[in-house]
Amino acid sequence: DKLLVDFLSFLADYVPTFPDELVDYYAAAAGFQCSDVGVKRLLSVAAQKFVAEIASDAMQYCKMRQGVGGSSSGAKQQRKMVLSHDDLVSALKEYGVEMRRPEYFADTSSAG
Amino acid sequence: MGGGSSGGSSSRDEFGRIVAKMAVAQICESVGFHSIQASAMETLADVAIRYLRDLARAAHFYSNLAARIESNAFDLIMAMEDVGPAPPAADPSRPIARSSALREVMRFVEYSEEIPFARPLPRFPVAKKRLAAPSFAQLGEAPPGSHIPSWLPALPDPHTYRHTPVWPDRKREPAANRLEQARQRRKAESSLVALHSRLSSTASMVFKDREKENSGSEENGSGSGSGNAFLAPPLAAGAKELMVVQFGGFKDGGGGENAGVVPQVPSIVEAFASVVESASNGNGDGGLEIQDGGGGNENGLALAGSKGVFAKRILAASKQQQQQQQQLLKRQRSSVANAEDDKDERKKRAEQIITQGMDTMAAS
């Protein structure tokens, strides 16, 4: 219990990446009402952790695709890391979010 | 949970999504990515927003379950356990403060560095302050009827619901207006005459300022009978404007016109044409005479300084008008039915309005 109290007071000083106003907006949209800043920051931090985990998983996928096997030359490591949609989809799959992206959109005559 | 935004809230949601996208991009940057695909960013932001809303919703549900409206930390932790990965051993006897979800979050906060959001944000959505209608007491009005308390908003002003006819603001009488118009026209024409006198070698022009009443074709028919033979019968029915400027009073060829006959002086459009013609032909005899509408109209009225291109355009227009006038004259001579004349009248009325507009433009 003391841990929780300490943590909440710690969070009151911490600045999460998701701004407070954003969290307030979406919490209000969901009906979440709280006067304690610590609790709202806890919510924000939880979301931040979630996104960070997904991003790091996607990073793993990205590195795998780039082929880390025996990367002797330093040039390979310097390759630009781009979070692509495919990596993200694979990472999200582990979290139970299934996404499928259409291969092409046949909205112009030149496509498909 | 409902599928995101819809309809009316999409505009405020848009702002939230953009902000979430920025935050997500910052998180990815801290993880190590150099760049991120646009679609991936949108997807991730969408997921983050949904997670946030889901957590908040679940916490709200838990608090409602406990008969509270305001959520607290315990509700949130229970919601986190619900949403997050299942704890290794779901033990109900374990105190909530020891929950694995919470511990993971705490570990995360400890080890990761603080990434503040890049921009300062206002509180949103911004509520517009609405002006309240003033009450009776504020306006100092006595409410009609004793049953209406004075702190209620006042009744609307009668002009908001009663339609009263609007009359144009007549500062002067119509006759005075017409006199004023005639005066302005005369002024304009005098300046045109001065210009033309400079153009042509001899300046013998006679112009009379007259206003053509918008009468029917009968008047023109009668006019053709009684007027000067050289000063042609007026063209077509009615509404051609007569641009006549009194100049020195000589070349009294037009004198005969005064007697109740309204000769058809071509409009200002043709006047420009005649200036061009006279200028180009080197018309030396001051050839600004009122001629038959069917022939060449050389009424040399031109706006000061409006030669050249303007005159050429006018020339073309005047040719058109001449043709029209010829046709009309033919029709008149063949004495056709009045129906055609009505059409012509309307056309001429329109032209008259146009020329009047041009006159006032010239005068002002």
Side-chain angles (χ1 to χ4, degrees):
Chain A
D1 298 342
K2 193 168 173 309
L3 209 59
L4 184 57
V5 171
D6 285 344
F7 185 57
L8 285 183
S9 52
F10 169 73
L11 276 183
D13 295 328
Y14 185 84
V15 179
T17 306
F18 285 105
D20 279 345
E21 291 82 7
L22 185 75
V23 171
D24 284 346
Y25 173 64
Y26 283 114
F32 182 85
Q33 226 179 324
C34 189
S35 42
D36 191 358
V37 172
V39 176
K40 284 193 270 207
R41 294 254 169 96
L42 181 57
L43 180 60
S44 159
V45 161
Q48 184 179 346
K49 168 174 167 290
F50 183 67
V51 174
E53 281 179 1
I54 295 177
S56 58
D57 284 353
M59 173 74 100
Q60 304 295 327
Y61 274 105
C62 190
K63 287 201 179 133
M64 275 183 349
R65 270 176 226 275
Q66 283 186 355
V68 193
S71 51
S72 49
S73 58
K76 276 227 174 98
Q77 299 291 347
Q78 305 297 330
R79 202 176 298 167
K80 218 164 162 200
M81 305 290 291
V82 180
L83 174 58
S84 69
H85 198 263
D86 297 326
D87 292 336
L88 185 61
V89 165
S90 327
L92 280 175
K93 208 155 161 199
E94 292 182 16
Y95 284 84
V97 181
E98 292 241 353
M99 270 185 45
R100 234 165 291 158
R101 187 170 106 171
E103 297 283 331
Y104 56 86
F105 291 99
D107 47 5
T108 60
S109 58
S110 60
Chain B
M1 185 183 73
S5 63
S6 63
S9 65
S10 60
S11 60
R12 17 159 108 171
D13 218 41
E14 195 57 41
F15 184 70
R17 302 200 84 236
I18 291 172
V19 168
K21 273 201 266 188
M22 289 172 70
V24 155
Q26 279 185 263
I27 295 176
C28 289
E29 193 186 23
S30 77
V31 167
F33 282 107
H34 296 134
S35 55
I36 176 171
Q37 257 187 5
S39 57
M41 175 157 87
E42 295 215 3
T43 310
L44 200 49
D46 216 2
V47 167
I49 288 175
R50 280 196 162 187
Y51 188 80
L52 208 50
R53 286 179 106 147
D54 265 353
L55 260 189
R57 195 160 152 273
H60 180 63
F61 279 176
Y62 274 113
S63 64
N64 279 351
L65 200 59
R68 279 180 278 116
I69 48 172
E70 283 216 4
S71 317
N72 59 21
F74 298 121
D75 301 324
L76 190 53
I77 296 172
M78 295 216 289
M80 282 184 344
E81 292 211 350
D82 263 3
V83 166
D91 190 2
S93 64
R94 212 166 48 162
I96 188 85
R98 301 274 173 87
S99 86
S100 57
L102 180 63
R103 261 188 284 131
E104 282 189 24
V105 171
M106 287 170 71
R107 209 181 310 137
F108 171 77
V109 167
E110 267 183 55
Y111 289 127
S112 73
E113 43 184 79
E114 206 167 306
I115 317 165
F117 192 68
R119 303 256 169 108
L121 271 190
R123 263 209 83 81
F124 73 98
V126 180
K128 246 167 56 161
K129 238 179 112 117
R130 287 210 312 230
L131 276 181
S135 67
F136 282 113
Q138 285 174 359
L139 284 183
E141 286 177 2
S146 58
H147 60 285
I148 306 177
S150 65
W151 45 263
L152 283 180
L155 291 174
D157 296 331
H159 73 264
T160 57
Y161 56 80
R162 201 184 301 156
H163 177 256
T164 50
V166 174
W167 303 107
D169 193 14
R170 285 171 177 242
K171 297 238 171 62
R172 292 184 270 179
E173 299 165 33
N177 272 343
R178 237 176 272 140
L179 286 179
E180 178 65 29
Q181 275 184 10
R183 189 183 67 83
Q184 287 179 354
R185 223 174 275 131
R186 258 178 272 133
K187 261 211 289 190
E189 286 158 6
S190 63
S191 59
L192 295 176
V193 159
L195 172 69
H196 186 82
S197 67
R198 271 183 264 132
L199 290 180
S200 60
S201 52
T202 60
S204 61
M205 19 178 168
V206 176
F207 293 95
K208 283 198 192 109
D209 185 25
R210 206 171 290 192
E211 266 191 274
K212 177 90 176 71
E213 299 283 337
N214 201 2
S215 52
S217 53
E218 297 78 40
E219 188 185 352
N220 291 335
S222 67
S224 61
S226 60
N228 198 340
F230 293 109
L231 297 169
L235 294 187
K240 278 288 184 250
E241 192 82 37
L242 291 190
M243 298 296 301
V244 184
V245 168
Q246 208 78 26
F247 183 83
F250 60 106
K251 210 11 155 19
D252 203 15
E257 307 166 9
N258 289 338
V261 170
V262 189
Q264 189 59 271
V265 178
S267 68
I268 201 167
V269 168
E270 296 165 28
F272 296 155
S274 64
V275 172
V276 172
E277 282 176 5
S278 63
S280 58
N281 299 339
N283 201 347
D285 62 348
L288 294 179
E289 293 166 334
I290 298 172
Q291 295 185 1
D292 189 354
N297 294 308
E298 303 188 21
N299 217 347
L301 300 173
L303 285 179
S306 66
K307 297 171 279 198
V309 174
F310 194 35
K312 280 184 207 143
R313 264 192 277 149
I314 302 298
L315 185 57
S318 84
K319 291 258 167 65
Q320 237 184 13
Q321 265 196 349
Q322 286 177 15
Q323 289 171 3
Q324 274 185 9
Q325 287 176 357
Q326 282 172 356
Q327 287 176 5
L328 292 170
L329 199 58
K330 278 186 210 145
R331 273 195 229 138
Q332 189 189 20
R333 285 185 189 137
S334 64
S335 70
V336 289
N338 280 338
E340 286 186 342
D341 289 338
D342 286 343
K343 259 195 287 174
D344 302 336
E345 262 192 43
R346 263 184 255 128
K347 246 195 280 175
K348 270 160 242 141
R349 264 183 227 138
E351 285 168 6
Q352 188 185 33
I353 293 171
I354 292 171
T355 53
Q356 272 182 1
M358 288 169 66
D359 292 341
T360 48
M361 267 174 45
S364 61

